[in-house]
Amino acid sequence: MDPDRLATLLSDLDNDRRNGTDVGERLCDTCVEVLDVTGAGIMLMSDGEHRGTLGVSNGVMTVVEDLQFTLGEGPCIDAYASDHPILEPDLGAPVTNRWPAFSGPAVRAGVRAVFGFPLRTGTVNLGALDVYLDHPGDLRTDQVSDAVVMAGVISRTVLALQADAAPGELPPLLDATVHHRAVVHQASGMVSAQLDIDVADALVRIRAHAYTSNRPVNDVAHDIVDRRLRLD
Amino acid sequence: MAPREKLRTETFVTLADTMVKDFDIVDFLSMLSSRCIDLFDAREAGLMLADPDGRMQLTASSSHEMRLLELLEIQHEQGPCPDAYRTGAPVQVADLTEAVARWPQFAPEALAAGYRSALALPMRLRDETIGALNLLRVEPGTFPDEDITAAQALADVATIGILHHRAVAESHLLSEQLQYALNSRVVIEQAKGALAQKLDLTTDEAFDVLRRYSRAHNLRLVDTAAAVVDRTLDAAVVATERPGG
């Protein structure tokens, strides 16, 4: 990326952050524009778990993020876990199908090529940036290197947001990111108490139920919390 | 290559290497101070960094001799180091006997310790000055220009190393805080669910119980929540703080 463009982009983002603009969506739109891709999404993680979506550029990306949260597999998860870019230029006919549950629904949603980049800050990974194309194809070398730059820009922005919060607290934008999945964590606590299993296993059960019944994981979680559904 | 020139080159290579591998800021700056004595006609060298209030703090020195440490530490506010820090420019004193009026505390102490001349170089990157490198000699006179240039170059490399180290440390701290806050948020939601189930409450009521129990026992909400989730704290015990109960 041209250094002047990067400098402008960083100063615009700093202004947005100070004005309290939703920088999550702004970052995704910037990625789409800079990287010349169909869509982009940003996922936050901690302790190896998907904690929430910081932003998406369009509705297809919402589906992609929801699939990854539900299934615990996909390009973001792999980019985070491997600490390397994940490149899948033909999701509909991959050489090796690395995401058996994710691929089908993602292709049906309109994703034909998908790429994940870790949000790395020194020794800690904060999550991943996902971008997709609505047609099969590789990213060019300059797109890959710009995506790595954008992942750095996102990490920097996330940490700048965190710097404004009191220690132990989340800044409002990141709190809202996690809040979207609050019901799922409540449901995990309930199922854990019902079945006398630990919360991580309870989350696996809830995800499995959402997958097999083909429902959004948040809907299943709401049913559990409202006592309309009991897993066994 | 002349021996000193070779040593200078080696020093730069070592400094660069230190910045890459297992960077330890104290080792890095101690090594820099020690090398200054070999590289320049100096008896001792010290490195002072400004604290957030702008006061100079001794960070590294070529020896740990008490007299030297005290002399460097006197320069909290007064002496060649604070002057170089404040002005962002080199400060050279060819004869400390003529600097008593300028630094009434530092100059007599330096002379008493046996030093006659001093050089302080700012540690600066662009418009940010973070400290100063101090060279002390037992003979009067100015340092050769080429020594000043080379010492300034060393100070510049060290400045980049320190600023980089600070940026990494800050980003590491923020990453840890973010991870902790994310995990806290999640464990509190999980505890709400577990308590709601065990005590037959809504999640809002469960949160209220969790909060009352934490306050009553002077615990952090997140610690109570974690204990409920990993089942080291029995829901029935937390329920003693049930609303109206």
Side-chain angles (χ1 to χ4, degrees):
Chain A
M1 198 185 315
D2 162 21
D4 287 346
R5 186 176 190 189
L6 181 60
T8 311
L9 201 148
L10 289 172
S11 98
D12 287 354
L13 276 168
D14 278 346
N15 285 333
D16 281 356
R17 183 170 50 78
R18 287 200 196 91
N19 299 335
T21 311
D22 183 345
V23 288
E25 202 176 310
R26 180 69 201 273
L27 281 165
C28 292
D29 292 343
T30 306
C31 285
V32 170
E33 191 195 317
V34 169
L35 306 177
D36 190 22
V37 292
T38 316
I42 301 163
M43 179 194 74
L44 289 185
M45 294 192 70
S46 67
D47 271 7
E49 287 287 346
H50 191 312
R51 294 309 191 195
T53 302
L54 180 63
V56 289
S57 66
N58 65 19
V60 174
M61 214 60 221
T62 306
V63 175
V64 169
E65 286 296 305
D66 205 51
L67 281 170
Q68 296 193 80
F69 182 84
T70 306
L71 304 168
E73 69 173 40
C76 259
I77 312 275
D78 284 3
Y80 169 85
S82 70
D83 202 17
H84 282 100
I86 299 296
L87 312 172
E88 179 47 75
D90 194 354
L91 191 61
V95 176
T96 50
N97 193 353
R98 45 185 147 186
W99 309 304
F102 170 83
S103 299
V107 169
R108 282 194 292 282
V111 178
R112 298 307 303 275
V114 71
F115 312 91
F117 300 88
L119 303 180
R120 190 186 347 201
T121 64
T123 52
V124 181
N125 264 351
L126 303 177
L129 161 70
D130 258 351
V131 302
Y132 83 94
L133 300 173
D134 57 10
H135 53 85
D138 285 306
L139 289 182
R140 297 184 311 269
T141 314
D142 63 305
Q143 285 175 302
V144 172
S145 62
D146 283 352
V148 171
V149 171
M150 284 310 299
V153 169
I154 294 164
S155 303
R156 177 183 176 278
T157 307
V158 168
L159 292 186
L161 285 168
Q162 185 62 41
D164 295 337
E169 310 263 316
L170 287 171
L173 185 64
L174 302 185
D175 193 72
T177 299
V178 189
H179 184 73
H180 176 62
R181 299 296 184 184
V183 70
V184 179
H185 303 304
Q186 291 166 10
S188 301
M190 288 188 93
V191 171
S192 148
Q194 285 163 0
L195 305 182
D196 199 23
I197 56 178
D198 75 44
V199 275
D201 292 338
L203 180 59
V204 171
R205 298 275 190 111
I206 295 165
R207 283 172 162 163
H209 185 88
Y211 178 63
T212 52
S213 59
N214 198 22
R215 299 180 61 206
V217 70
N218 275 42
D219 290 2
V220 171
H222 270 294
D223 283 355
I224 292 170
V225 169
D226 295 342
R227 276 97 167 173
R228 288 191 299 267
L229 173 68
R230 203 182 155 105
L231 303 183
D232 38 36
Chain B
M1 211 188 279
R4 182 167 279 183
E5 223 174 302
K6 187 161 176 281
L7 189 58
R8 277 180 193 171
T9 311
E10 280 171 8
T11 303
F12 277 106
V13 171
T14 315
L15 281 176
D17 196 40
T18 320
M19 284 162 71
V20 179
K21 290 191 294 199
D22 307 331
F23 186 81
D24 182 295
I25 192 83
V26 177
D27 288 353
F28 173 75
L29 298 177
S30 301
M31 195 270 281
L32 177 70
S33 315
S34 308
R35 283 298 178 92
C36 281
I37 311 178
D38 306 328
L39 292 173
F40 312 113
D41 284 321
R43 172 59 59 89
E44 298 290 0
L47 204 146
M48 301 194 79
L49 294 178
D51 67 15
D53 299 327
R55 276 171 64 89
M56 303 296 278
Q57 305 291 343
L58 176 61
T59 309
S61 59
S62 51
S63 96
H64 289 92
E65 199 218 320
M66 256 346 263
R67 197 88 193 250
L68 172 69
L69 299 185
E70 280 166 8
L71 182 61
L72 291 164
E73 273 170 357
I74 283 175
Q75 300 188 59
H76 277 318
E77 278 145 2
Q78 181 199 100
C81 272
D83 284 7
Y85 169 69
R86 270 192 295 270
T87 59
V91 172
Q92 174 152 227
V93 184
D95 191 347
L96 283 164
T97 57
E98 290 162 19
V100 177
R102 184 175 179 183
W103 301 310
Q105 208 192 347
F106 171 76
E109 288 285 344
L111 289 164
Y115 304 109
R116 281 296 296 280
S117 56
L119 173 67
L121 297 162
M123 299 188 66
R124 191 179 62 174
L125 182 69
R126 289 189 282 274
D127 51 0
E128 187 178 8
T129 308
I130 60 170
L133 171 65
N134 197 182
L135 303 183
L136 296 164
R137 290 201 307 186
V138 289
E139 309 84 21
T142 53
F143 284 76
D145 282 350
E146 57 176 81
D147 276 12
I148 297 177
T149 309
Q152 185 65 63
L154 270 185
D156 291 348
V157 172
T159 304
I160 293 167
I162 292 163
L163 289 175
H164 176 71
H165 174 74
R166 285 182 181 172
V168 168
E170 198 201 341
S171 114
H172 187 74
L173 177 69
L174 286 171
S175 305
E176 299 271 318
Q177 283 175 354
L178 171 60
Q179 303 284 297
Y180 175 80
L182 285 172
N183 292 341
S184 302
R185 188 74 165 70
V186 168
V187 79
I188 290 167
E189 299 302 332
Q190 291 167 338
K192 279 158 71 175
L195 282 180
Q197 174 63 33
K198 288 198 169 145
L199 306 176
D200 196 23
L201 302 171
T202 66
T203 49
D204 284 347
E205 289 166 345
F207 183 57
D208 203 36
V209 170
L210 198 64
R211 205 166 41 187
R212 282 163 191 255
Y213 183 87
S214 304
R215 277 199 199 134
H217 294 83
N218 207 16
L219 293 165
R220 290 187 309 168
L221 189 63
V222 59
D223 294 334
T224 312
V228 167
V229 169
D230 67 21
R231 289 173 280 179
T232 50
L233 177 60
D234 194 342
V237 175
V238 185
T240 52
E241 301 299 331
R242 200 184 189 105

